[in-house]
Amino acid sequence: MRAEYDFTDSKPNPYAKKERKAVTIRLDLQAIDYFKDEADRTGIPYQSLINLYLLQCAKEQKHLAFA
């Protein structure tokens, strides 16, 4: 191991802004099955698909309509 390292040409980590937090939520089986089927179709893990969908909702400022 070196005594000192030179970071003058280093670049910021592009992934550092992507903070995530583990949470526990209860989902209906129908919702889980839907996202698992989508995961099989797309090859993207179902938890990532749920996160992508929730991010899309947040960006589009979607609001639930309770009927």
Side-chain angles (χ1 to χ4, degrees):
M1 185 177 245
R2 298 180 189 170
E4 291 185 22
Y5 291 88
D6 181 13
F7 294 104
T8 55
D9 293 328
S10 65
K11 297 178 184 176
N13 183 345
Y15 303 103
K17 292 183 181 180
K18 295 189 178 192
E19 296 178 17
R20 290 186 173 208
K21 182 177 182 175
V23 296
T24 301
I25 60 173
R26 298 190 192 291
L27 301 173
D28 290 338
L29 290 177
Q30 183 179 1
I32 295 169
D33 290 342
Y34 170 79
F35 281 102
K36 283 187 175 184
D37 289 343
E38 284 296 293
D40 290 340
R41 187 180 67 79
T42 62
I44 300 171
Y46 79 97
Q47 290 177 329
S48 296
L49 288 174
I50 293 170
N51 186 56
L52 288 170
Y53 184 74
L54 292 174
L55 284 172
Q56 181 180 349
C57 290
K59 286 178 186 174
E60 295 176 9
Q61 295 292 300
K62 290 185 177 184
H63 297 280
L64 289 174
F66 295 100

